[in-house]
């Protein structure tokens, strides 16, 4: 078996119930797009995020005999890639659980449909599994969980090697940026994630285990982070808020920094400044490869590079926000600590490599 947990798990406060079911089954767990923590990312059975309906999800899930999906299946959001109509193999059964009856069975052939609140249903499912699983069933589940844990450990070791390989890159790598930041973040920090192409480094470096530790986006809109982080701070006045936002995404709503200054909303913004709208390049290449079947894709990136002087720290300073441009990774940790200690809005414009 395999599990896919969507945003409804976090929204329903069903994380503990999802963990219980996964551990009883010994199944690998994947997360579809989510804006709140829906499964502990440090858990040994947590594999990765997944894009339902595309080749990567088909390859990951088709080996399972049964897949339990909790939440909506409407993750077919990438207009730049060619979707797979059926994201499971012909021998894989689908159990779909969601509170919205319009979602269940709407996009995929569904073998077992359950319309229920995820917290209630997963809790009852865990109770039923505990009552009916035999000793041999439990041993088999432990064996599956052990295999999954070995796989996740191997993936995490591979990530550590990648960080090490790119540690001395100039400009600094996204991996190095997040690693330096992680060393000084307080335990009670809330991360507002509008990182876009730096998101992989963010989620592979930091662990998000408890509801409320992360606020992110589920759609494809850019720029929500600057305002969203202020809203998160107003809702959590006693917790530090750090917003990690791409430079292109920041440009969508950079005027929000004026609001942060005028209202003195103490959010620390870390700009991942790779000098480009890299996500547009990535999506253009994906479209030309997957839809137009160009291999390798031939692209001209018009209007996607910030060739002229591009100084987000200067923009922030002009609006009354403490700011600093960071190019040396050795300066990053102390600068983040200083920004947090200020108790005022702050912008750190961090220059990183835009080629990876």
């Amino acid at each position: 078996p395999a599990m896919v947990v969507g945003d409804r798990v976090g929204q329903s406060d069903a994380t503990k119930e999802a963990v219980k079911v996964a551990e009883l089954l010994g199944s690998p767990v994947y997360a579809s797009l989510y804006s709140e923590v829906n499964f502990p990312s440090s858990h040994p059975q947590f594999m990765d995020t997944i894009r339902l309906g595309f080749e990567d999800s088909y390859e990951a899930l088709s080996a399972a005999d049964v897949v339990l999906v909790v939440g909506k299946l409407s993750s077919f959001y990438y207009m730049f890639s060619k979707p797979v109509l059926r994201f499971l193999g012909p021998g894989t059964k689908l159990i779909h659980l969601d509170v919205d009856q319009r979602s269940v069975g709407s996009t995929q052939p569904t073998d077992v449909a359950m319309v229920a609140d995820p917290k209630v249903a997963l809790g009852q499912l865990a109770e039923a599994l505990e009552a009916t699983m035999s000793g041999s069933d439990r041993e088999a589940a432990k064996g599956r969980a052990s295999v999954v844990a070995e796989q996740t450990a191997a993936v995490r070791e591979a990530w550590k090697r990648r960080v090490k390989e790119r540690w001395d890159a100039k400009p600094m790598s996204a991996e190095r940026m997040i690693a330096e930041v992680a060393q000084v973040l307080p335990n009670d920090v809330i991360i507002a994630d509008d990182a876009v192409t730096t998101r992989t480094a963010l989620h592979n470096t930091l662990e998000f285990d408890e509801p409320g530790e992360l606020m992110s986006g589920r759609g494809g809109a850019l720029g929500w982070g600057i305002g969203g982080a202020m809203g998160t701070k107003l809702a959590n006045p006693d917790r530090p808020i750090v917003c990690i936002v791409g430079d292109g995404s920041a440009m969508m709503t950079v005027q929000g920094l004026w609001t942060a200054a005028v209202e003195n909303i103490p959010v620390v913004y870390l700009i991942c400044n790779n000098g480009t709208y890299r996500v547009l390049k990535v999506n253009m290449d994906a479209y030309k490869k997957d839809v137009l079947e160009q291999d390798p894709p031939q692209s001209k990136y018009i209007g996607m590079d910030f060739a002229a002087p591009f100084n987000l720290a200067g923009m922030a300073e002009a609006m009354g926000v403490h700011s600093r441009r960071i190019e040396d990774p050795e300066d990053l940790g102390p600068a983040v600590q200083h920004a947090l200690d200020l108790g005022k809005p702050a912008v750190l414009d961090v220059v990183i490599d835009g080629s990876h």
Side-chain angles (χ1 to χ4, degrees):
M3 281 183 66
V4 177
V5 289
D7 216 25
R8 292 262 167 76
V9 174
Q11 292 173 342
S12 301
D13 189 27
T15 304
K16 291 181 180 179
E17 289 78 6
V19 169
K20 184 68 172 179
V21 170
E23 290 177 345
L24 285 166
L25 295 174
S27 61
V29 180
Y30 300 88
S32 63
L33 292 176
Y34 60 96
S35 59
E36 300 177 49
V37 173
N38 54 15
F39 201 89
S41 63
S42 66
H43 195 284
Q45 288 171 234
F46 181 74
M47 299 291 286
D48 202 350
T49 54
I50 198 169
R51 300 184 310 156
L52 292 177
F54 294 89
E55 290 185 8
D56 50 358
S57 66
Y58 185 87
E59 293 171 2
L61 299 176
S62 289
D65 54 354
V66 176
V67 174
L68 168 62
V69 177
V70 185
K72 295 189 71 173
L73 290 176
S74 57
S75 294
F76 301 87
Y77 76 103
Y78 270 12
M79 66 194 75
F80 305 103
S81 302
K82 186 184 295 182
V84 177
L85 294 180
R86 167 78 167 165
F87 65 71
L88 301 178
T92 304
K93 296 185 180 296
L94 172 62
I95 301 173
H96 186 193
L97 163 64
D98 193 20
V99 70
D100 184 357
Q101 63 180 1
R102 297 169 298 179
S103 169
V104 177
S106 62
T107 64
Q108 294 290 308
T110 303
D111 297 282
V112 178
M114 293 188 284
V115 179
D117 175 80
K119 185 176 182 67
V120 174
L122 288 173
Q124 292 181 350
L125 178 58
E127 291 177 3
L129 288 169
E130 286 189 308
T132 59
M133 288 179 71
S134 65
S136 59
D137 290 335
R138 294 176 185 271
E139 287 302 312
K142 288 181 180 178
R144 289 192 294 267
S146 178
V147 171
V148 173
E150 291 177 2
Q151 293 173 340
T152 58
V155 169
R156 288 162 187 167
E157 284 302 315
W159 177 256
K160 291 178 182 179
R161 290 194 296 271
R162 175 179 170 86
V163 173
K164 186 176 180 179
E165 289 167 0
R166 304 198 64 224
W167 190 255
D168 295 319
K170 295 183 179 180
M172 82 176 85
S173 65
E175 296 90 339
R176 175 90 185 258
M177 173 189 171
I178 302 301
E180 295 286 355
V181 170
Q183 295 182 42
V184 298
L185 290 177
N187 292 332
D188 59 344
V189 70
I190 298 176
I191 299 294
D193 166 22
D194 195 7
V196 196
T197 51
T198 307
R199 182 165 290 129
T200 298
L202 174 63
H203 286 260
N204 284 350
T205 303
L206 299 181
E207 293 178 349
F208 299 106
D209 289 343
E210 298 293 333
E213 291 181 338
L214 174 73
M215 295 299 294
S216 189
R218 288 175 288 171
L222 297 176
W224 70 270
I226 287 183
M230 284 187 271
T232 302
K233 180 61 183 179
L234 294 175
N236 299 271
D238 298 326
R239 296 181 66 175
I241 310 297
V242 172
C243 178
I244 301 180
V245 55
D247 52 356
S249 193
M251 281 295 289
M252 300 289 179
T253 52
V254 69
Q255 69 275 14
L257 296 176
W258 182 83
T259 301
V262 170
E263 302 297 337
N264 193 28
I265 302 174
V267 172
V268 175
Y269 294 96
L270 300 181
I271 310 295
C272 308
N273 190 342
N274 58 17
T276 179
Y277 282 112
R278 187 168 178 269
V279 69
L280 301 184
K281 294 181 179 181
V282 170
N283 285 333
M284 178 179 284
D285 286 348
Y287 174 77
K288 289 194 171 183
K289 180 181 179 181
D290 297 341
V291 179
L292 301 184
E293 298 182 349
Q294 289 184 7
D295 195 15
Q298 303 297 317
S299 298
K300 291 183 179 179
Y301 305 117
I302 300 172
M304 299 183 192
D305 292 296
F306 305 138
F310 185 66
N311 187 350
L312 278 162
M315 295 183 197
E317 183 178 355
M319 286 185 268
V321 175
H322 167 81
S323 62
R324 181 177 173 185
R325 185 175 175 89
I326 306 289
E327 297 185 16
D328 185 343
E330 299 281 345
D331 295 336
L332 183 52
V336 173
Q337 186 63 66
H338 176 65
L340 287 166
D341 291 342
L342 283 175
K344 297 179 179 180
V347 168
L348 300 180
D349 186 6
V350 185
V351 178
I352 62 172
D353 180 16
S355 64
H356 291 77

